[in-house]
Amino acid sequence: MAQSRLCTTCQVPLSSDDVGIYIKLVSRTAQQFLCIDCLGVKLNCGRDPIEKLIRYFRESGNCAFFR
């Protein structure tokens, strides 16, 4: 049975977008991840800019993490 990944800070289940944007912005070799909210706190930018980046990468069609 597949184990769901959890945010290392707040323990919420992670979506593929959470994992993909963390890999894209923080570390391609990461084994632990943050949810979008906690990543926004870590990067001191909040949730909105991260969601805009996810939308941009998905609409560009050039990023394998957001297809």
Side-chain angles (χ1 to χ4, degrees):
M1 186 179 274
Q3 182 181 10
S4 68
R5 293 189 173 166
L6 301 176
C7 173
T8 58
T9 301
C10 68
Q11 302 302 307
V12 300
L14 298 173
S15 69
S16 60
D17 285 349
D18 293 316
V19 173
I21 200 67
Y22 189 89
I23 289 171
K24 188 84 170 165
L25 297 179
V26 178
S27 173
R28 292 183 72 74
T29 61
Q31 296 298 311
Q32 296 180 329
F33 308 94
L34 298 174
C35 67
I36 292 173
D37 290 321
C38 292
L39 181 58
V41 170
K42 177 180 177 158
L43 298 177
N44 198 32
C45 68
R47 181 181 185 93
D48 191 50
I50 295 172
E51 288 180 333
K52 287 179 182 176
L53 276 174
I54 291 170
R55 249 187 324 275
Y56 168 78
F57 290 132
R58 184 169 282 124
E59 290 171 0
S60 74
N62 293 326
C63 183
F65 296 124
F66 302 104
R67 289 191 180 164

